[in-house]
Amino acid sequence: MYKRIVKWFLIIVGLYLLLFGVVIFSFGKDVSQTYINTHSVERFYDEKIGPDRAIVIDSMEDAHSARIHLIENAQQSLDISYYSVEPGHSTDVFWGLLVEPADRGVKVRIILDGVANGVRSKQQDIMFMIKNHPNMELKFYELPNVWKPWTFNNRLHDKYIIADHMLAILGGRNIGDRFLASDDYEGERAYDRDVLVYHANDDSRSSVITDLSVYFNEVYDSPYAKQSMDTLSKKEQLRGREKEQQLHTYITEERQQRHHRFRQQIDWKEITLETNKITLIRNPIHRFNKEPWVLYEVFQLLHTAKQEIVMQSPYIVPTKKMKAGFLYEDNEHDVEMKILTNSRGSTPNYPAFSVYLRYRDDIVASGAQLYEYQGNHSIHTKSYMVDDDISMIGSFNLDPRSAYLSTETMMVIHSKEVRQQIQELTDDYLEQSLLVDQNGAYQTLENNIPERPVSWFKFMVLMVVGFLGKIVAFLL
């Protein structure tokens, strides 16, 4: 009798977790007619030069230096939102620097994803340090609850910093050595892209940074954003103070050893480029399946193309609805489409890539030029370009998770100069990539790039995972 009760209890719990942790997310939503009626594609364009300037940052060294500069020079506020903050050298610099502006009165607010960060005990002393500080706050977005399995799929995937409502850096990079390492870093790298937006104080016109700040507050004040702890014990307070002192010492040593990275004189107004308009697009904030706002906006812009579309995404998992959005059956304008993603050799994401392989032939058959990156490490960039004047940069992957499940942010930039800069950066990746032909093989190109070798183990895992991955592709 006892065994039977336990058996049925486990069956019921298992079905409950399966239903509300997996099955419920298989029903993708459509964008509402209300959203469509109030968000025309024309709003992304402007004939005049706008109030915001921008520069695209690909280099890890430059990306790290830009973040250091924003933190070191903040005078009033720092609002920070990241999916993942991975332990390592770059992260120690990040945490250590944040204490300095807080010490001089800058209000520092941080929100991190609850699954990617909230369960990491290695950074507990950091949490104690922040809780101790009167000018620092840390929240986690949707801490996981095993009895509420839907919480595991309500993820914060944004990656940005806002400094003084005047500067913002936004893109696909997380905080960690894989994304921000120095040239001497010997581990695996994930090449990514940011856009830094500058708004001059002397320009009274509305800035996209204002919109990003409004969005940050909406997420930060949402019911899903929770502080990790209410009060600290005396022991925890002591550990927090000790961690703060350790980081002060660490930053002092870093400034001595890598002085070129710190206290740089950067004139952002001088080095950024003019834009006609920059617009923030983002997903809704709620649990369960979301209306795919970012996906809708990206596809709307792709459909305005007259000459060229260039898409770069580390993961491509085109479900039926998504595939219909960018693989044209009737390419009436004869638009050239280039798609760049990882190869078997470079991908670190086995489930997503294994499902992509099942759609690979369909992508090529559509007439798109499909390039797969063969260089060292992997690409993590998410950017989409239309003709010679529209660029989109941010956290949005071309997959169902970014479309329907996670918070996502993208900057839509109307600027020929920024578009040209991205083209030059993308060309560097294309030169290290191979073009997939109609038979699924690689074409021989002038760059003579060799195919990146794939271990037998990785090849077999991708094949096996592919059969299983298609069943839960809506979660990838």
Side-chain angles (χ1 to χ4, degrees):
M1 181 68 179
Y2 174 76
K3 290 182 179 180
R4 185 180 300 175
I5 293 173
V6 171
K7 175 185 175 181
W8 279 106
F9 173 78
L10 293 176
I11 289 173
I12 292 170
V13 169
L15 289 173
Y16 169 76
L17 295 176
L18 180 64
L19 177 62
F20 290 101
V22 178
V23 176
I24 197 170
F25 294 100
S26 65
F27 305 99
K29 285 187 176 181
D30 293 321
V31 173
S32 69
Q33 193 61 47
T34 300
Y35 186 88
I36 293 171
N37 293 340
T38 55
H39 292 78
S40 69
V41 73
E42 287 78 16
R43 79 186 194 280
F44 296 115
Y45 297 87
D46 201 314
E47 294 181 359
K48 299 177 181 179
I49 297 301
D52 293 323
R53 301 174 64 87
I55 188 169
V56 179
I57 302 173
D58 263 31
S59 157
M60 289 184 173
E61 189 86 20
D62 291 343
H64 199 191
S65 294
R67 286 164 172 79
I68 289 172
H69 188 270
L70 263 62
I71 294 171
E72 285 186 322
N73 291 275
Q75 300 299 314
Q76 298 174 344
S77 64
L78 282 166
D79 291 336
I80 299 167
S81 179
Y82 274 96
Y83 170 69
S84 179
V85 178
E86 303 171 359
H89 163 75
S90 302
T91 301
D92 288 341
V93 170
F94 173 75
W95 289 126
L97 283 176
L98 282 177
V99 178
E100 295 181 344
D103 284 346
R104 60 176 186 267
V106 174
K107 185 65 176 177
V108 179
R109 295 187 297 170
I110 308 155
I111 185 164
L112 305 176
D113 180 71
V115 167
N117 306 275
V119 296
R120 288 183 177 170
S121 60
K122 289 183 179 179
Q123 299 196 56
Q124 271 195 337
D125 289 351
I126 295 290
M127 299 177 203
F128 300 152
M129 178 191 76
I130 293 172
K131 187 67 178 178
N132 261 342
H133 205 292
N135 291 322
M136 299 183 78
E137 293 179 0
L138 171 64
K139 288 186 178 182
F140 292 105
Y141 183 87
E142 194 72 289
L143 289 164
N145 183 334
V146 70
W147 298 114
K148 297 179 179 180
W150 52 87
T151 60
F152 285 86
N153 282 315
N154 182 29
R155 303 277 44 88
L156 178 136
H157 198 237
D158 307 321
K159 298 102 183 258
Y160 60 85
I161 299 174
I162 309 169
D164 296 335
H165 304 288
M166 184 179 72
L167 285 162
I169 187 167
L170 178 148
R173 281 186 176 89
N174 296 300
I175 300 296
D177 290 343
R178 289 191 300 138
F179 301 92
L180 300 167
S182 303
D183 291 340
D184 57 358
Y185 175 69
E186 296 180 355
E188 282 296 314
R189 296 170 181 262
Y191 298 124
D192 218 313
R193 179 169 295 154
D194 300 303
V195 59
L196 184 139
V197 179
Y198 169 80
H199 178 73
N201 282 327
D202 55 359
D203 195 324
S204 60
R205 289 176 293 175
S206 179
S207 168
V208 71
I209 298 176
T210 301
D211 297 333
L212 185 61
S213 295
V214 170
Y215 170 72
F216 175 87
N217 287 329
E218 185 178 341
V219 176
Y220 198 79
D221 296 333
S222 74
Y224 315 119
K226 304 289 186 181
Q227 293 194 23
S228 60
M229 56 198 75
D230 295 324
T231 58
L232 298 181
S233 66
K234 289 185 178 180
K235 182 178 180 181
E236 289 169 340
Q237 292 175 21
L238 177 61
R239 285 174 59 182
R241 288 192 293 270
E242 289 175 346
K243 187 62 178 181
E244 182 174 344
Q245 186 56 52
Q246 290 172 10
L247 289 173
H248 273 305
T249 302
Y250 187 79
I251 291 298
T252 300
E253 294 173 352
E254 277 293 298
R255 283 200 172 102
Q256 294 172 350
Q257 296 174 11
R258 304 174 192 259
H259 57 86
H260 63 284
R261 275 191 155 182
F262 298 88
R263 292 172 179 159
Q264 297 183 64
Q265 299 299 315
I266 302 177
D267 186 343
W268 292 114
K269 188 173 183 178
E270 177 67 25
I271 69 172
T272 49
L273 303 171
E274 287 183 338
T275 69
N276 295 71
K277 191 173 185 181
I278 305 180
T279 308
L280 175 71
I281 57 176
R282 49 86 161 196
N283 272 348
I285 305 168
H286 57 72
R287 288 173 175 156
F288 304 108
N289 280 328
K290 297 174 170 58
E291 288 187 21
W293 290 353
V294 175
L295 179 72
Y296 170 78
E297 302 285 16
V298 170
F299 284 175
Q300 286 294 103
L301 282 162
L302 294 183
H303 280 269
T304 67
K306 299 296 189 296
Q307 291 90 32
E308 182 183 35
I309 292 171
V310 182
M311 296 191 286
Q312 183 174 346
S313 177
Y315 322 122
I316 300 177
V317 185
T319 58
K320 186 176 181 180
K321 287 183 180 180
M322 295 178 68
K323 188 169 64 172
F326 72 93
L327 299 182
Y328 305 131
E329 293 182 3
D330 181 18
N331 192 344
E332 58 180 309
H333 297 298
D334 196 26
V335 175
E336 180 182 59
M337 181 183 293
K338 294 179 181 177
I339 302 175
L340 172 61
T341 191
N342 280 300
S343 63
R344 280 187 179 88
S346 67
T347 184
N349 188 331
Y350 288 25
F353 193 84
S354 66
V355 176
Y356 153 75
L357 287 174
R358 302 179 71 86
Y359 293 98
R360 190 169 177 253
D361 291 344
D362 293 342
I363 295 173
V364 175
S366 74
Q369 299 174 38
L370 179 60
Y371 290 84
E372 294 181 348
Y373 179 71
Q374 307 294 329
N376 294 328
H377 309 293
S378 64
I379 52 175
H380 197 252
T381 298
K382 312 95 164 51
S383 62
Y384 310 85
M385 290 85 78
V386 179
D387 292 337
D388 66 347
D389 60 351
I390 286 290
S391 309
M392 294 168 266
I393 301 174
S395 63
F396 179 80
N397 296 311
L398 201 56
D399 61 26
R401 179 161 289 277
S402 281
Y404 300 100
L405 301 183
S406 300
T407 68
E408 302 287 353
T409 44
M410 298 283 285
M411 293 291 191
V412 180
I413 307 162
H414 180 206
S415 167
K416 290 189 176 182
E417 290 78 9
V418 171
R419 172 67 176 87
Q420 179 60 36
Q421 186 193 10
I422 297 178
Q423 186 63 60
E424 293 170 358
L425 294 169
T426 303
D427 286 345
D428 290 340
Y429 290 115
L430 290 174
E431 289 175 3
Q432 301 177 66
S433 304
L434 290 173
L435 182 63
V436 181
D437 67 19
Q438 295 289 335
N439 299 314
Y442 288 129
Q443 292 186 23
T444 301
L445 303 176
E446 293 180 1
N447 56 11
N448 292 319
I449 292 294
E451 180 180 352
R452 183 167 168 175
V454 183
S455 69
W456 176 86
F457 176 77
K458 185 175 186 179
F459 185 89
M460 293 304 297
V461 169
L462 287 172
M463 293 294 291
V464 173
V465 173
F467 289 103
L468 301 175
K470 193 171 183 181
I471 299 173
V472 291
F474 55 89
L475 293 178
L476 300 177

